[in-house]
């Protein structure tokens, strides 16, 4: 299997997608958060191809996806009580937990760490595909590294056509932001990546949950080090969009409606945090398709999902 593929197949049968994964093929599929680029974890060559297809730095580990929690014992050394409680509350769903890994999990998957990140997605199609595959599947977000995650199969196609074996033509992802990542290898749950499950929700189940204390360069969460979620257009976070002037080369994404929105080349008003989260990446991609130079994003309140949205927006706006 070479690096580039003349043709990426489009699929609509979950059984077929699962079968291809079981053979070691690279198949992108929908989850409730974003599309994932799947590869069965016991094929070293498959894991290597995931990194190549995405252009992903080799030291950024992958999340292992399971059809159900009952197979977790196959990949982790132990299941601490904090993890059982969080799984009970949020699995299947958009929560990734980090465990001590079993020896057979290859360093390609975990980027050499002795821990492994695992989640069991809630999306019914994802579950059917994982079930049909019958083995654990590593799946980073199905985008070229650094770009906004893909929440539609068309966006996966835009980034990865010719680089992977197949794309499942599923629905638009409902959540739109990646899973929350929580490290369960220490004395208490540690939030590594903000996401679909909020800190408040985690603390409701485990009041001792703490936020990542260290700087992004910390090895605990290697993925935080890199450029992420960035469209080609420059992203600017704006507190008060009423001061803005629109032109055909500028895009505006706002939480409140604005009568001057039509002055922009692309304008979207997303009335609540759920919709904002669900559509922000697709808005970025649409702005790029239209050749926008600047994307203005109205800041959102840092409550509930707002915290994860602001995390993604500020990373998209980072310019070094
Ligand atoms: O919602 C999601 O999580 C999506 C869908 C497809 O499931 N996947 C996703 O994968 O966002 P990716 O590869 O884009 O992000 C994986 C994140 C990175 O921040 C990475 O550093 C972290 O998980 N991660 C993976 N393994 C880890 C580990 N052993 N310890 C700490 N962080 C880990
Ligand atoms: Mg990603």
């Amino acid at each position: 299997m070479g690096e580039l593929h003349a043709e990426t197949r489009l699929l609509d049968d979950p059984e077929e997608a699962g079968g291809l994964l079981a053979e070691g093929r690279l198949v992108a599929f929908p989850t409730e958060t974003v599309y994932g680029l799947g590869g069965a974890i016991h094929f070293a060559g498959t894991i290597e191809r995931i990194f190549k297809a995405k252009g992903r730095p080799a030291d950024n580990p992958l999340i292992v996806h399971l059809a159900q929690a009952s197979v977790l014992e196959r990949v982790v050394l132990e299941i601490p009580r904090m993890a059982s409680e969080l799984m009970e509350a949020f699995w299947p769903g958009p929560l990734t937990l980090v465990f001590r890994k079993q020896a057979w999990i290859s360093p390609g998957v975990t980027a050499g760490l002795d821990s492994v990140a695992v989640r069991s997605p809630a999306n019914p199609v994802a579950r059917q595909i994982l079930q049909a595959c019958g083995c654990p599947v590593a799946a980073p977000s199905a985008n070229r590294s650094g770009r906004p995650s893909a929440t539609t199969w068309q966006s996966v196609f835009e980034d990865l056509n010719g680089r992977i074996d197949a794309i499942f033509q599923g629905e638009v992802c409902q959540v739109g932001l990646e899973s929350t990542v929580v490290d369960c290898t220490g004395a208490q749950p540690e939030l590594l990546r903000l996401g679909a499950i909020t800190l408040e929700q985690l603390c409701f189940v485990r009041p001792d949950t703490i936020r990542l204390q260290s700087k992004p360069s910390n090895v605990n969460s290697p993925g935080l080090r890199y450029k992420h979620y960035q469209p080609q257009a420059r992203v600017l976070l704006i507190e008060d969009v009423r001061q803005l002037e629109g032109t055909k080369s500028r895009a505006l994404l706002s939480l409140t409606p604005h009568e001057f929105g039509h002055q922009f080349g692309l304008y979207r008003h997303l009335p609540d945090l759920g919709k904002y989260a669900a559509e922000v990446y697709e808005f970025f991609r649409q702005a790029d398709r239209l050749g926008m130079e600047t994307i203005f994003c109205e800041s959102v309140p840092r409550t509930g999902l707002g915290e994860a949205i602001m995390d993604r927006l500020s990373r998209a706006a980072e310019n070094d």
Side-chain angles (χ1 to χ4, degrees):
M1 286 183 280
E3 182 186 336
L4 287 173
H5 295 261
E7 203 181 330
T8 295
R9 291 178 54 205
L10 297 177
L11 309 175
D12 53 19
D13 175 9
E15 293 290 325
E16 189 181 10
L20 288 172
L21 282 168
E23 286 170 15
R25 304 278 168 186
L26 294 192
V27 182
F29 61 92
T31 80
E32 67 275 25
T33 57
V34 298
Y35 272 74
L37 171 56
I41 63 172
H42 55 281
F43 297 109
T46 302
I47 299 303
E48 234 173 82
R49 284 182 58 218
I50 290 182
F51 284 86
K52 277 192 193 141
K54 282 188 54 108
R56 183 180 177 101
D59 61 352
N60 191 3
L62 307 176
I63 296 174
V64 173
H65 292 60
L66 306 176
Q68 66 259 324
S70 55
V71 288
L72 182 61
E73 281 153 16
R74 283 166 53 187
V75 293
V76 309
L77 267 192
E78 58 191 3
I79 305 176
R81 189 185 174 124
M82 64 184 120
S84 317
E85 291 175 3
L86 291 170
M87 279 155 50
E88 177 73 27
F90 301 112
W91 277 20
L95 177 68
T96 295
L97 299 175
V98 176
F99 298 88
R100 291 176 61 209
K101 79 172 186 75
Q102 285 206 11
W104 72 272
I105 309 287
S106 80
V109 174
T110 64
L113 298 176
D114 56 11
S115 61
V116 61
V118 188
R119 94 175 181 99
S120 185
N123 179 297
V125 172
R127 298 177 66 74
Q128 270 177 287
I129 292 173
L130 292 168
Q131 192 73 51
C133 169
C135 46
V137 169
S141 50
N143 52 278
R144 294 295 289 269
S145 202
R147 302 254 301 139
S149 298
T151 55
T152 64
W153 72 260
Q154 291 90 342
S155 291
V156 178
F157 186 86
E158 186 173 72
D159 274 21
L160 298 174
N161 180 35
R163 309 182 72 88
I164 65 178
D165 299 304
I167 298 171
F168 189 92
Q169 295 179 284
E171 306 277 307
V172 175
C173 300
Q174 280 170 337
V175 178
L177 295 185
E178 301 78 4
S179 63
T180 301
V181 181
V182 174
D183 187 353
C184 293
T185 62
Q188 58 201 121
E190 190 173 1
L191 175 62
L192 300 183
R193 179 174 75 179
L194 290 158
I197 304 285
T198 65
L199 183 60
E200 294 97 306
Q201 285 175 292
L202 295 170
C203 283
F204 190 75
V205 177
R206 288 291 304 202
D208 58 340
T209 306
I210 50 167
R211 301 183 66 136
L212 177 68
Q213 300 299 319
S214 32
K215 297 227 163 58
S217 63
N218 191 294
V219 288
N220 284 341
S221 194
L224 299 180
R225 254 185 259 143
Y226 298 103
K227 259 192 174 178
H228 266 102
Y229 321 114
Q230 298 192 341
Q232 264 119 50
R234 183 171 59 130
V235 175
L236 292 174
L237 257 169
I238 304 290
E239 292 292 332
D240 184 359
V241 297
R242 283 170 306 180
Q243 301 156 349
L244 288 177
E245 276 179 38
T247 68
K248 292 296 162 211
S249 64
R250 294 171 155 192
L252 173 63
L253 181 61
S254 77
L255 195 62
T256 45
H258 292 290
E259 72 268 16
F260 56 82
H262 64 271
Q263 298 168 1
F264 290 78
L266 180 68
Y267 168 60
R268 208 68 220 278
H269 156 228
L270 299 169
D272 60 64
L273 293 176
K275 292 206 172 64
Y276 204 109
E279 295 194 34
V280 60
Y281 290 146
E282 200 50 37
F283 185 85
F284 284 177
R285 285 175 174 270
Q286 187 58 19
D288 278 351
R289 287 175 199 129
L290 295 171
M292 299 287 143
E293 282 163 14
T294 309
I295 302 171
F296 293 106
C297 295
E298 184 174 31
S299 298
V300 304
R302 288 179 189 268
T303 54
L305 255 188
E307 228 193 329
I309 295 172
M310 287 301 282
D311 169 72
R312 303 304 193 269
L313 291 180
S314 22
R315 285 159 170 283
E318 275 169 16
N319 53 12
D320 54 301

